Amino acid sequence: MGRLDEAFIQAPEHRPITHLTNSGDFIFSDEIPTIDLSSLQDPNYDKTTIATEVGKACERWGFFQVINHGLPLDLRRRVENTAAEFFNLTAEEKRRLRRDEVNPMGYHDEEHTKNVRDWKEIFDFFLQDPTIVPATPEPEDTDKRELTNQWPQHPADFREICQEYAREVEKLAFKILELISISLGLPGDLLSGYFQEQTSILRFNHYPPCPNPELALGVGRHKDGGALTVLAQDSVGGLQVGRRSDGEWIPVKPIPDALIINIGNCMQVWTNDKYWSAEHRVVVNTSKERFSVPFFFFPSHETNIEPLEELLSEENPPCYKKCNWGKFFVSRNRSDFKKLEVEDIQIDHFKA
Ligand code: OGA
Ligand code: NI
């Protein structure tokens, strides 16, 4: 790309210190919890022990990794390979699938976060394909009608692999949702009702090597807007999390075959700030391209996002106003999760 285009340059206070050692590898911190889910495979296992661990991680970090999560590893390999193959298509082929003003699904290489361009290209699709699920007939509901998945012709099995992976990662997301409910002292299925006609998205991220990693970011600092995110990252590293206690940027260590879970804004609102939607960002480097596959677990359109009544009390009054997810999701200006007092919770992901 030659000299770094101005659009990518971060303001000095947001430029990364890239945690590089002499060998060029990132230094990783072990502080972010890793949780072993293997005992969930035993149907007689009491889930409260794992749920407690999950709850602590959601509270302190809003981020954790899971191992022995049950997502088939061969499927993960296939989806990673197909994503790499997809990004290897010519720019012209990818641009044919380019998202536009009305349809946010497909290919995109001009993502901006907080008005600075991200050093990456992406591909997005809805899990519940709006071309299969009939759109609502009301003529005023234009935003919904125009959403449709776009699929490339190559790789030939791209769509099939994507959808198979999406089904598996969705199953894991429901398991995590159950653990989170239990961790809050609520019935395990309390939250799952909000996801019957979910608006979830699977994304492929490709971060090419960058000539000036000290000036740009793969993704600028942001919070994820949905309930939670399940992220598969490769072995390169670059994801950093703002620590809840002091805002320090902590790198997330790549653990082979682990998946990263992070809490999104909906969950922070439901739990009335008990659980934390952490700011995170991605640093890039000069030599290695990086791939990641986030699954954004989003509730149904009709879901109202507000603090759960079961968690409120005189000592814990609601800190957020009610907000309808569907309206929020299709609105161009996504900053609707309003604190009743203090500042707005900033949401700039999926700004459509
Ligand atoms: C995102 C994101 C992190 C990563 O796509 O929202 O935060 O490691 N990605 O790619
Ligand atoms: Ni994110």
Side-chain angles (χ1 to χ4, degrees):
M1 284 207 199
R3 234 186 91 228
L4 195 69
D5 187 290
E6 227 179 283
F8 291 104
I9 298 179
Q10 297 283 334
E13 66 272 28
H14 298 309
R15 289 179 197 166
I17 301 160
T18 43
H19 293 266
L20 289 175
T21 61
N22 292 337
S23 67
D25 291 328
F26 294 106
I27 296 169
F28 294 110
S29 161
D30 269 325
E31 287 186 79
I32 293 164
T34 301
I35 300 177
D36 186 343
L37 298 185
S38 50
S39 44
L40 289 185
Q41 279 149 27
D42 173 0
N44 298 320
Y45 176 78
D46 174 11
K47 292 181 180 134
T48 47
T49 313
I50 296 190
T52 306
E53 254 186 279
V54 166
K56 271 191 208 145
C58 294
E59 209 170 324
R60 277 197 59 208
W61 286 94
F63 257 84
F64 55 98
Q65 307 211 48
V66 290
I67 53 172
N68 301 316
H69 43 64
L71 189 136
L73 296 177
D74 62 316
L75 179 59
R76 173 161 175 185
R77 291 287 107 73
R78 278 194 287 144
V79 89
E80 284 169 340
N81 291 340
T82 209
E85 243 183 281
F86 169 78
F87 286 118
N88 221 359
L89 295 174
T90 64
E92 202 206 318
E93 281 174 287
K94 287 185 282 192
R95 289 202 174 129
R96 252 184 256 144
L97 305 171
R98 200 147 46 178
R99 83 179 191 198
D100 57 33
E101 284 295 301
V102 285
N103 185 9
M105 293 301 108
Y107 174 75
H108 192 54
D109 63 357
E110 289 179 37
E111 180 89 334
H112 287 65
T113 304
K114 299 189 167 61
N115 299 320
V116 183
R117 190 166 164 194
D118 296 325
W119 190 268
K120 70 164 175 178
E121 50 179 348
I122 64 179
F123 178 82
D124 283 336
F125 67 95
F126 278 117
L127 252 66
Q128 292 183 354
D129 193 334
T131 58
I132 297 170
V133 178
T136 44
E138 297 97 89
E140 68 272 17
D141 209 356
T142 46
D143 280 316
K144 250 190 192 170
R145 264 195 292 114
E146 287 150 346
L147 304 177
T148 163
N149 284 336
Q150 309 194 67
W151 300 103
Q153 304 205 312
H154 306 284
D157 49 2
F158 183 81
R159 177 176 183 164
E160 197 188 312
I161 294 175
C162 288
Q163 290 179 330
E164 198 182 334
Y165 180 82
R167 279 193 296 274
E168 287 297 327
V169 78
E170 179 189 21
K171 272 191 223 162
L172 176 61
F174 273 109
K175 283 187 204 165
I176 305 288
L177 197 68
E178 183 186 3
L179 292 172
I180 290 177
S181 298
I182 295 171
S183 76
L184 293 163
L186 303 170
D189 60 357
L190 189 98
L191 294 169
S192 57
Y194 295 149
F195 294 84
Q196 295 317 304
E197 289 176 53
Q198 52 175 284
T199 48
S200 300
I201 289 170
L202 197 84
R203 167 171 286 188
F204 296 151
N205 285 312
H206 175 221
Y207 306 93
C210 175
N212 294 98
E214 74 288 2
L215 298 177
L217 288 168
V219 196
R221 77 203 152 91
H222 68 279
K223 299 175 178 211
D224 291 350
L228 56 90
T229 303
V230 181
L231 177 93
Q233 71 164 336
D234 65 14
S235 59
V236 173
L239 174 61
Q240 300 182 334
V241 177
R243 183 160 57 193
R244 186 172 193 178
S245 53
D246 60 2
E248 178 87 22
W249 289 109
I250 306 295
V252 183
K253 175 178 158 183
I255 299 175
D257 303 330
L259 291 164
I260 297 162
I261 312 288
N262 65 286
I263 293 302
N265 292 336
C266 291
M267 191 64 76
Q268 180 166 339
V269 173
W270 281 329
T271 64
N272 207 33
D273 282 352
K274 182 172 166 67
Y275 291 172
W276 178 241
S277 173
E279 250 187 350
H280 52 286
R281 67 181 189 181
V282 171
V283 300
V284 283
N285 70 84
T286 53
S287 60
K288 290 181 192 158
E289 63 180 340
R290 174 173 180 267
F291 296 92
S292 72
V293 184
F295 166 71
F296 300 107
F297 197 31
F298 290 168
S300 315
H301 273 277
E302 71 273 9
T303 309
N304 285 324
I305 312 296
E306 63 187 324
L308 296 169
E309 231 171 74
E310 292 84 343
L311 302 178
L312 299 175
S313 64
E314 223 164 278
E315 300 78 57
N316 185 23
C319 343
Y320 295 92
K321 284 185 199 154
K322 175 154 79 183
C323 164
N324 174 263
W325 174 254
K327 281 203 188 120
F328 172 77
F329 188 73
V330 296
S331 70
R332 297 284 174 252
N333 175 20
R334 294 194 174 147
S335 55
D336 291 347
F337 290 169
K338 292 272 193 295
K339 279 263 190 194
L340 285 169
E341 299 158 55
V342 223
E343 89 284 27
D344 290 352
I345 173 163
Q346 286 299 316
I347 293 137
D348 11 33
H349 223 43
F350 291 112
K351 19 187 202 310

